[in-house]
Amino acid sequence: HRPLARGALQPSQAIGFLGAQLSVALGVLLALPLPAVAAGLASTPLWVLYPLAKRVTDWPQAVLGAAINYGGLLGWVAVRGDVDWAVVAPLYGGAWLWTLHYDTVYAHQDKRDDAAAGVRSTALRLGDSTLPALTLFSTGAIGGLAGAGAGAGLGAAGSLGGYVYFCGLAAAGGHLVWQLRTVRLDSPPDCLRIFQSNRDFGALVFGA
């Protein structure tokens, strides 16, 4: 399914597409307030390093999580003009752990091809220990999101917003438990099924 690897896309086409994406992203970034522009530019090492991560570390999913979830911090700065670490730190950490969870499941689809190609992943690194690791990742993800809610004041007694948020978070946690109980890590189609089901987790958190 990788267009460059199977020759469906030429390197020059890929570079052109990347350039177009980066140009659009830069345009969006420059439309934000100056503190958000500075925060966005500070993320440059993350998205530059991620494509190389599979060649240099067993934890490319951790690099992906650091890069892809930076948007939470950037969005906060764009709206508020500062960083409230009591909210942003657990939010970023929880989202990072969720990325480790779902992308490790995804990586199990490709583990044979990755091993043959000499690239690295958490699926290959964790092996038979993947399920306990996924349990830690998903537990930490829910804990981080709960911490973000508490930091935002949603844990106050009698708070209707807090009740709705934490009930939604409990439902999202239940969905992750379902993933852990049903995933078959040696079945690529099942790994894809579980990976795709994370849209439902995201919807539950968004709804909360």
Side-chain angles (χ1 to χ4, degrees):
H1 302 296
R2 295 169 176 172
L4 273 176
R6 61 189 173 89
L9 192 67
Q10 297 301 313
S12 59
Q13 294 173 307
I15 291 171
F17 182 61
L18 175 62
Q21 288 183 303
L22 292 176
S23 297
V24 172
L26 181 61
V28 172
L29 181 63
L30 293 177
L32 297 177
L34 189 58
V37 173
L41 293 176
S43 71
T44 300
L46 294 176
W47 57 262
V48 169
L49 290 174
Y50 172 64
L52 308 174
K54 281 195 169 189
R55 297 289 180 182
V56 299
T57 177
D58 292 331
W59 294 87
Q61 284 70 28
V63 182
L64 173 65
I68 200 171
N69 294 299
Y70 195 88
L73 186 153
L74 179 58
W76 184 278
V77 174
V79 172
R80 301 290 293 269
D82 60 5
V83 179
D84 184 347
W85 290 111
V87 179
V88 174
L91 176 64
Y92 185 63
W96 178 73
L97 286 165
W98 177 40
T99 303
L100 276 175
H101 169 85
Y102 68 69
D103 207 52
T104 295
V105 172
Y106 186 86
H108 270 273
Q109 293 183 99
D110 300 325
K111 57 189 175 186
R112 293 180 180 84
D113 291 339
D114 285 347
V119 296
R120 299 153 77 174
S121 72
T122 49
L124 293 173
R125 175 66 179 84
L126 294 169
D128 293 339
S129 300
T130 293
L131 195 57
L134 292 177
T135 302
L136 289 175
F137 299 156
S138 56
T139 301
I142 294 296
L145 294 173
L154 294 177
S159 166
L160 177 60
Y163 178 78
V164 172
Y165 178 74
F166 286 105
C167 283
L169 200 56
H175 180 74
L176 290 181
V177 170
W178 169 80
Q179 290 188 29
L180 293 167
R181 289 175 63 88
T182 62
V183 66
R184 292 178 292 142
L185 294 171
D186 287 325
S187 168
D190 198 61
C191 288
L192 180 61
R193 175 183 68 89
I194 293 297
F195 169 77
Q196 291 176 334
S197 78
N198 279 278
R199 65 178 177 266
D200 302 326
F201 174 86
L204 288 166
V205 174
F206 180 78

